[in-house]
Every structure is written in C-alpha cells, then in structure tokens.
C-alpha cells in the first residue's frame, strides 16, 4: 500500500504540464535518434544531457526527459531494422532477422505496428516490475560478479550456435569474427597495441557505428545494386498497415515471456538490451521448434526481441536507482546527470529524493503511452519508405551512412574502414554467414574481456573462479547443452529418417 502511495505521488510529479511537455519532446527526439543507424540511446541521452542542465531543469524533469529519450530510442531502433535491414542500435540487431523478411513479403505495416505494441507491452510489464520488485531484484543482481558475467556471455554466444539459424558452425564463426574485431586497439590494462598494424586511427579500436553501418548498411547497398539493372524496388510496399486480432493473439504470450525475461536480464548491471533481445529470440525459436519460420518472417521472432529490449531498458533502472550501479551504458549517462545535481543514486535515494525516483517511474508509464500513440499513426508514413525505388534509396542510405560514420571522429580513415567492412560483410552474406551473430560477438567482446580480467584479478590468476560458484556452474552446464543442441537435432532427425524408412 505504501508503494502505491509513492507511485501516486510520482504521477503527481510526472503529470505536471512542464514534465508532460518534456516527456513528449524526449519521446519524439528519441524515436528520430533511434531511427538513424548507429546512434542508439547512449548518443541520444548524451546529446540532451547538456541541454537539460543548461536550461536549468529541476532534477526530476531532467530525468524524465532523459528517460523518454531512452525509451524513444528503443522504439525507433526497430524502424530502420525492419525497413532497411539496418539496425538503429545493437539491441535492434535481432529485430532484423525476421523484421526485414516480413517487409520483403509486403508486411512492413504489420511488422511496424506489431513491433510498436511489443515494445509497449515490454516496457509496461517491466515498469510494473520496477514498482513491485526493485529492492528484491537489486539484491539478486549483486550475486553476479565478474566471473558470473563472463560465463553469462559465454552462454549467450553458445546459444547463437545452438539456436540461431540452420548453420551452427557458420553462426559461431561469425560470432568469433566479431570477438576478434573487438580486440583491435590499445589494451586498457597493459597499454599494448593489438592488431592496429601501425595505424594510429585504430588505437581506439573499431567504433560500433562503423561496424554496424559497414556490415549492415554498406553490404545492403551492395546487394541492392545487384537489382538496379531490372529497376526493382528494395522491398514491396505494404498493403495492410495494422496487425489483426489473430496476429496479436499469436504473439501475445511471446511478448509476455520476452518482457519478463528482458526485465530480469535488464536488472543485471551491464547485461543490457543486446543480451536480452538475443536470449529471448533464441528461447522463442527453441520453443517454436519445427512449427516456426524464424529467419523467414515469423511474427514471434519480431515480437520477442522488441518486447525484451524495451523491458531490459526499464529493468536497467533498478541497479541505477537502488545500487548506484549502471544497468547499461545509457543509465551510466543518467547517473552522470544525477551527479550534476549533487544527487547520489543508491539505497538512500528512495528516502531522500522520493519525488525524483517516483516521478521518474511514473513518467515511464506516461512515456510509453505517448510513444504508442505517436508510433501507430506513423506506420503508414514509415511504410511509404518502401515504395522508394533503388535509384533513390541507395544514394540516400549511402549519404546517411557516410554522415553517421564521419561524425564519430571526422576522419576519412573511418570512411575507408566502413567501405572495407561493408565489402567483407557483403561477401559473408553471399556465403550465408549471419551478420547478426557477428555484431553480437563484437558487442559482447569488450565486456567479456573486461569481466575476465576482473575475475582473474580477484582470484590472483586462479581460473577456478570461473566455475567456483553455483551460478557459474549452472551457466556452464547450459552453455554445454546449447553447443550440443545442433548435434542432438541432427541425431534425432537421422533417427526419425531411419524409422520412416523402416516403416516404409
């Protein structure tokens, strides 16, 4: 009952005219930033943080603005992923697997509207979880140390080979290529230059924007150029703009399961929406079995990552508010916003600044309603992007890609690297390597290395720490099971074939 009173107090803060206007502005800006390939929520929040402080906004209003941008970016990332096969950020990578095939089938409107509702359900379920379970889940998240995080990421990569696609070897090879790209740059611990080939431009490593735009955007442009001689369009324009009741029922429990899983994963500091979307997608594919068409335009393959990444975004606020530990890169920027106002996030924040905490939580409900109302009517406008012919679309995508990459360091080297990675990605796609696995390997690579180093520092170099807790043992067992899945599927299929031949 006390929690409901605090929540009501939060709604009183969030519904003030200024805060409602700020939430509307943040949701719109976030959607646009999320739509642009490679930017993502961290850049969106970082761009508006100085503006919020310069305008002298009170702390609760500033947090409401940043939270609205955060949620808007998670909504917006799906748009370019579905329409152009170019994810807005890492969390939208899994959305491309089934979202883009749906668009190619003339179902872009259905995919966009269903993904908007999936995002809404994921965020609302997770926000309810924040209200009800914040203290409990914060204590559970503390049980994950560096060793547990390292093994969790091993499990995530093992899941790629076990569940994504029909070519587990190519899937794992793509993930390993991504891990290899993540090692380029200066070693943060020893200061040694790794795989830079004497180039100063590679000393900071390869930026995520360059990787995602190169592998997805440039390779997609090259694939489009194959079709320009026949005057084909990139994909067919959609006829129906909204999903129907049958399609909603078909994906409803997928949304619920993925939202719950994404919320729990989001409470783990550093886990983030990328891992949440990948693991829920794999889980739903496993549950569907032979009845699914994952990778070919399955609605459940679209709903699962969209519900999960938005739920994870809300869940990541729990460690930020209760422990003062960022649940994701974006919440790390939001912690910076709190420190600008001399507010220290942690257990005492709920007692000392209830208006800030509960105003933020209440604004999540309001922000999600604003985003749903904003996104559904725009489905028709977004879908019209598909009627643009290749001779217009190819230069437009190329221009956006060049501007996005050049804005990182303002160097021509980044542009050359983008083109090189794009050609490499084009060849991988022609050889049927899944680029989504490569991007996930790249995103997880730095986190894996950092957590492995921390774990070995704690144990003074003893590798036993990697299997020294019940959590790590369970994760290792699950990873082994996932790696064995392709072999088990092959054995079962072979056995079924022999039985059919015997009965015949």
């Amino acid at each position: 009952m006390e929690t409901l009173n605090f929540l009501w107090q939060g709604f009183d803060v969030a519904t003030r005219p200024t805060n409602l206007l700020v939430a509307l502005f943040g949701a719109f800006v976030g959607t646009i930033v999320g739509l642009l390939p490679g930017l993502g929520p961290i850049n969106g929040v970082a761009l508006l943080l100085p503006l919020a402080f310069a305008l002298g906004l009170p702390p609760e209003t500033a947090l409401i603005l940043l939270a609205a941008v955060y949620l808007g970016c998670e909504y917006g990332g799906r748009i370019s992923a579905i329409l152009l096969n170019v994810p807005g950020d890492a969390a939208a990578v899994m959305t491309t697997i089934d979202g883009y095939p749906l668009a190619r089938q003339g179902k872009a409107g259905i995919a966009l509207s269903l993904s908007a509702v999936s995002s809404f359900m994921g965020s609302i379920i997770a926000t309810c979880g924040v209200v009800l379970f914040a203290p409990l889940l914060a204590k559970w998240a503390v049980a994950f140390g560096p060793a547990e995080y390292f093994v969790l990421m091993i499990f995530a990569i093992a899941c790629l080979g076990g569940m994504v696609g029909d070519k587990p070897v190519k899937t794992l090879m793509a993930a390993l290529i991504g891990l290899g790209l993540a090692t380029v740059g200066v070693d943060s611990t020893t200061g040694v230059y790794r795989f830079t080939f004497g180039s100063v431009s590679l000393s900071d490593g390869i930026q995520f924007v360059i990787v995602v735009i190169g592998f997805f955007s440039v390779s997609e442009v090259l694939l489009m150029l194959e079709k320009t001689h026949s005057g084909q369009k990139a994909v067919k324009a959609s006829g129906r703009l909204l999903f129907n009741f049958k399609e909603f029922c078909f994906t409803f429990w997928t949304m619920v399961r993925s939202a719950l899983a994404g919320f729990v994963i989001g409470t783990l500091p550093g886990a983030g929406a990328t891992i949440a979307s990948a693991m829920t997608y794999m889980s739903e594919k496993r549950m569907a079995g032979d009845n699914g068409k994952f990778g070919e335009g399955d609605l459940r393959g679209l709903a699962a990552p969209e519900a999960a990444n938005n739920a994870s975004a809300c869940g990541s606020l729990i460690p930020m508010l209760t422990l003062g530990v960022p649940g994701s890169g974006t919440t790390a920027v939001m912690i910076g916003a709190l420190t600008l106002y001399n507010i220290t996030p942690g257990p005492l924040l709920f007692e000392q600044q209830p208006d800030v905490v509960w105003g933020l939580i209440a604004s999540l409900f309001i922000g999600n309603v604003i985003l749903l109302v904003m996104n559904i009517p725009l489905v028709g406008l977004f879908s019209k992007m598909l009627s643009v012919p290749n001779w217009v679309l190819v230069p437009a995508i190329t221009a956006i890609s060049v501007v996005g990459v050049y804005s990182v360091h303002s160097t021509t080297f980044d542009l050359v690297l983008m083109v090189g990675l794009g050609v490499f990605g084009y060849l991988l796609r022609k050889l049927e390597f899944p680029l989504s696995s490569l991007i996930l390997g790249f995103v997880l690579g730095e986190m894996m290395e950092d957590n492995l180093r921390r774990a070995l520092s704690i144990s003074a170099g003893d590798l036993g720490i990697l299997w020294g807790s019940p959590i790590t043992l369970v994760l290792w067992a699950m990873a082994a099971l996932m790696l064995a899945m392709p072999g088990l599927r092959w054995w079962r299929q072979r056995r079924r074939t022999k039985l059919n031949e015997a009965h015949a």
Side-chain angles (χ1 to χ4, degrees), residues 60-319:
E60 61 272 16
T61 304
L63 270 187
I64 288 172
L65 172 64
L66 299 182
V69 173
Y70 190 7
L71 291 178
C73 288
E74 296 295 347
Y75 273 73
R78 78 194 200 285
I79 298 170
S80 56
I82 292 170
L83 299 181
L84 304 174
N85 198 30
V86 181
D89 63 343
V93 167
M94 303 308 292
T95 304
T96 63
I97 298 177
D98 284 282
Y100 188 61
L102 283 168
R104 291 183 66 86
Q105 295 165 20
K107 300 177 181 177
I110 298 170
L112 287 169
S113 57
L114 187 64
S115 64
V117 172
S118 300
S119 299
F120 175 77
M121 286 194 63
S123 295
I124 290 296
I125 290 173
T127 305
C128 292
V130 172
V131 173
L132 297 174
F133 304 114
L136 178 64
L137 287 173
K139 291 179 182 177
W140 178 71
V142 174
F144 271 69
E148 285 77 11
Y149 279 118
F150 174 75
V151 184
L152 174 65
M153 291 165 195
I154 292 287
F155 169 63
I157 291 176
C159 285
L160 291 174
M163 292 187 180
V164 174
D166 300 322
K167 301 176 178 65
V169 175
K170 287 187 176 181
T171 302
L172 285 175
M173 286 179 65
L176 291 175
I177 292 172
L179 288 173
L181 291 174
T183 63
V184 175
V186 178
D187 188 320
S188 58
T189 303
T190 63
V192 174
Y193 285 77
R194 302 182 302 188
F195 310 113
T196 59
F197 304 101
S199 172
V200 177
S201 301
L202 287 175
S203 59
D204 288 337
I206 304 175
Q207 299 299 314
F208 172 76
V209 174
I210 300 173
V211 172
V212 74
I213 290 181
F215 278 112
F216 280 91
S217 185
V218 175
S219 66
E220 187 65 32
V221 165
L222 293 175
L223 288 173
M224 286 180 178
L225 288 174
E226 292 182 352
K227 304 174 183 178
T228 52
H229 68 279
S230 59
Q232 291 177 325
K233 297 175 184 177
V235 291
K236 294 180 291 184
S238 174
R240 184 154 55 94
L241 296 180
L242 295 175
F243 60 89
N244 56 34
F245 183 70
K246 182 180 178 181
E247 290 162 342
F248 175 76
C249 293
F250 179 64
T251 56
F252 176 76
W253 290 111
T254 294
M255 297 179 197
V256 174
R257 285 190 299 268
S258 301
L260 293 173
F263 169 63
V264 174
I265 294 171
T267 62
L268 302 174
T274 305
I275 294 177
S277 61
M279 294 183 71
T280 52
Y281 180 90
M282 298 164 197
S283 176
E284 288 300 319
K285 182 175 182 179
R286 172 67 184 141
M287 290 180 67
D290 296 334
N291 297 322
K293 294 183 179 179
F294 283 68
E296 301 173 10
D298 196 303
L299 291 175
R300 292 167 295 183
L302 173 70
E306 281 304 305
N309 62 35
N310 283 270
S312 176
C314 294
S316 65
L317 295 173
I318 287 182

Side-chain angles (χ1 to χ4, degrees), residues 42 70 313 316-320 325-336:
I42 296 180
Y70 190 7
S316 65
L317 295 173
I318 287 182
M320 182 193 87
V325 177
S328 65
T330 310
T331 52
V333 179
M334 294 175 72
I335 286 179

